[in-house]
Amino acid sequence: MADNSTWTREQTSRVRDFYNVYTRGFSAEAFQRLFTRDTRDAYRYFSNAIDRESLAALPWWKRPALFARGLFMAITMKMSPARRVLFALALGAGVIGVLMLLEGFHTIWIPIDPVLLRFPIPAPEWPRGTAWLLLSVVGLAFLIVLEVFERLSLKNDLEIARDIQQAMLPRGLYSSGGLEAFGATRAANTVGGDFYDILPRPDGRVVIALGDVAGKGSPAALLMAILLAMLRTLLDEGLDAEPLVNRLNLQIWRHAPSSRFITLQFVNIDPATGDLVAVNAGHLPGLIRRRTGEFEKLTDGGIALGMFDSSTYASQRARLEPGDLLVLYSDGITEAESPSGTPFDEEGLVSLIRAHGDDPDLVAIGKAIIKAVERHAQDVRFADDLTVLLARRTEDRDSGFGIRDSSDGVLPIPSSASEPAPGAQPLAPDPEPRNPPAPPSVQEL
């Protein structure tokens, strides 16, 4: 008897604990808002898609059915095709199940006169519990509608944030006194944490930077905006590469959450001479593809930004000769996996640059890299953001600069050889630099 009493107390305690956890944060006011404010807002949002003027021109007896149909379409068409079909199948299954439970009809007599006159009305007859089943189906459908409305509201805000984020990044082909640069990014979600920038300095040099905020989505996008603002502010102070990255690390450490850090490849280029100073803050090393077919890496720097306030960063010097191609990229490029789990890897990127490196159009090269990663992954939904930033010196010394339309032509790359720059680490040279393998066909993004 005592054992049964102990078991009963234990089960009661477990039920009570589950109830307390499950109803944590619940309030009667919040539950009431489901049927007042939330329902009203969702109804207004979805009913805006209904042409009320056309409905008003129809006979009154046609309006309710057409309005219900329009409201149903407005709700379900906001879902993805697969979810829309599943939702319709679930509703259809519920209706079929309820109809199969129908046992027949019986007559209900409605009294008109208290003594003599009654009016018969046929009514369906279901087994006990059917009303509860109907209530659960209607409740779940109602909850799904509210969730769709909330997700759409959030998606609208994220799309606005995406437009703002894209406006912060350079667009088109940058061209300035013998230097051309082009960047392209594709976020894994609506907004992302990858960023790049192309900034001319008053002394004629150009800053090319690409970074990656740990994580993705909205938190990473907010930190990305903070970093870009800090970077541009420090550039206005005229700081060179090393002190700028050191100051940037300190600011990120002070203002970013301790669980977040940022990798950065910072390059300061003089278009007139091709001399560059690079600082790598925990990022994947930038690649220099020489016009001879050799590859060199930009590796010197330090750890990722924001990890320690006392971190210091070293710089690396190199020279970009006319025809050389500088490639900066995020880890989403090299870590993109095929369905079998094979990463695209640095070797895949190097092979692609060898195939397309002599293309005079930087825009075409950037798009070819993104498309090659998409083909490798065979999936439109990536686990990480994809970003690539390209820069090349040309023989053109036109004094004009700015963002040029990507359809503008550029001069062909000169064929004369250049010596490897001091301080750069060489990769294996292209065995046939003047006759690269034929690239695969690349469709425009």
Side-chain angles (χ1 to χ4, degrees):
M1 193 71 178
D3 292 341
N4 289 337
S5 177
T6 302
W7 182 86
T8 302
R9 285 196 300 270
E10 290 178 353
Q11 298 305 313
T12 302
S13 177
R14 290 178 180 178
V15 171
R16 185 184 301 111
D17 292 342
F18 174 79
Y19 174 81
N20 291 334
V21 170
Y22 199 80
T23 59
R24 184 180 300 162
F26 173 81
S27 66
E29 293 78 8
F31 188 76
Q32 183 181 6
R33 282 199 299 269
L34 287 176
F35 305 97
T36 55
R37 187 192 65 184
D38 294 352
T39 302
R40 181 178 62 251
D41 293 345
Y43 172 79
R44 288 176 178 173
Y45 179 83
F46 291 116
S47 63
N48 283 337
I50 300 175
D51 188 353
R52 297 180 180 272
E53 293 183 359
S54 299
L55 280 179
L58 297 174
W60 66 268
W61 50 272
K62 289 185 177 181
R63 297 174 193 169
L66 292 176
F67 183 84
R69 176 182 178 275
L71 194 62
F72 176 80
M73 295 298 293
I75 294 171
T76 56
M77 293 305 292
K78 297 294 184 180
M79 304 178 185
S80 65
R83 295 176 184 179
R84 183 165 64 240
V85 171
L86 180 60
F87 181 72
L89 290 175
L91 285 182
V95 172
I96 293 173
V98 170
L99 292 178
M100 292 180 67
L101 291 174
L102 182 63
E103 295 180 343
F105 291 88
H106 65 277
T107 302
I108 298 178
W109 293 91
I110 305 298
I112 297 177
D113 181 271
V115 180
L116 299 175
L117 189 58
R118 292 185 302 168
F119 185 78
I121 295 180
E125 186 172 349
W126 278 290
R128 295 184 62 182
T130 304
W132 290 104
L133 177 62
L134 284 172
L135 182 62
S136 68
V137 171
V138 172
L140 288 174
F142 175 71
L143 183 61
I144 290 173
V145 170
L146 293 182
E147 287 295 319
V148 169
F149 166 67
E150 187 172 344
R151 288 174 63 89
L152 289 173
S153 301
L154 178 61
K155 182 180 179 181
N156 183 61
D157 293 341
L158 288 175
E159 288 176 348
I160 295 174
R162 178 191 59 194
D163 294 339
I164 295 174
Q165 185 182 42
Q166 291 296 322
M168 298 176 66
L169 301 177
R171 292 187 178 183
L173 180 69
Y174 175 89
S175 179
S176 173
L179 181 71
E180 293 186 339
F182 174 76
T185 184
R186 171 178 172 173
N189 297 324
T190 306
V191 291
D194 283 6
F195 64 92
Y196 64 91
D197 214 345
I198 306 169
L199 296 168
R201 308 191 72 167
D203 59 4
R205 293 179 297 172
V206 178
V207 167
I208 295 177
L210 185 146
D212 185 3
V213 178
K216 53 183 180 291
S218 300
L222 289 174
L223 277 179
M224 166 265 194
I226 293 174
L227 179 71
L228 275 181
M230 291 179 177
L231 174 63
R232 293 170 181 177
T233 300
L234 293 175
L235 282 173
D236 289 341
E237 296 182 10
L239 297 177
D240 285 330
E242 287 185 30
L244 186 146
V245 176
N246 286 323
R247 286 273 301 276
L248 194 60
N249 171 71
L250 183 60
Q251 293 300 320
I252 295 298
W253 181 83
R254 287 176 177 174
H255 301 290
S258 58
S259 60
R260 297 283 177 171
F261 59 89
I262 302 171
T263 64
L264 175 70
Q265 176 75 72
F266 180 93
V267 181
N268 206 358
I269 303 179
D270 186 346
T273 63
D275 293 334
L276 64 85
V277 180
V279 177
N280 188 320
H283 199 76
L284 295 173
L287 302 175
I288 298 178
R289 191 262 189 188
R290 300 296 181 185
R291 59 188 174 189
T292 60
E294 296 178 343
F295 280 79
E296 299 166 8
K297 289 184 178 182
L298 302 176
T299 58
D300 293 355
I303 64 175
L305 302 174
M307 298 186 70
F308 303 101
D309 60 336
S310 58
S311 299
T312 58
Y313 297 86
S315 62
Q316 176 178 349
R317 296 182 181 275
R319 174 169 293 177
L320 205 64
E321 299 292 347
D324 292 344
L325 179 66
L326 173 64
V327 182
L328 309 183
Y329 57 96
S330 67
D331 57 2
I333 296 288
T334 54
E335 294 178 2
E337 294 185 348
S338 66
S340 62
T342 304
F344 190 73
D345 218 345
E346 184 183 276
E347 294 180 1
L349 179 62
V350 169
S351 298
L352 191 68
I353 297 172
R354 280 176 175 159
H356 295 272
D358 289 323
D359 191 330
D361 188 357
L362 288 186
V363 178
I365 299 175
K367 292 181 176 181
I369 293 173
I370 299 295
K371 291 300 291 183
V373 175
E374 290 177 348
R375 288 196 305 271
H376 176 80
Q378 300 180 24
D379 192 351
V380 296
R381 190 176 184 88
F382 288 90
D384 203 356
D385 306 328
L386 308 179
T387 305
V388 62
L389 179 57
L390 309 171
R392 171 186 279 156
R393 282 192 70 207
T394 69
E395 296 286 358
D396 185 7
R397 292 292 185 269
D398 185 4
S399 59
F401 69 91
I403 300 296
R404 225 170 55 199
D405 186 271
S406 59
S407 62
D408 290 348
V410 294
L411 295 178
I413 305 302
S415 57
S416 57
S418 62
E419 296 294 328
Q425 301 180 9
L427 291 174
D430 187 351
E432 296 182 4
R434 298 187 184 277
N435 296 287
S441 60
V442 177
Q443 298 179 353
E444 289 294 317
L445 289 177

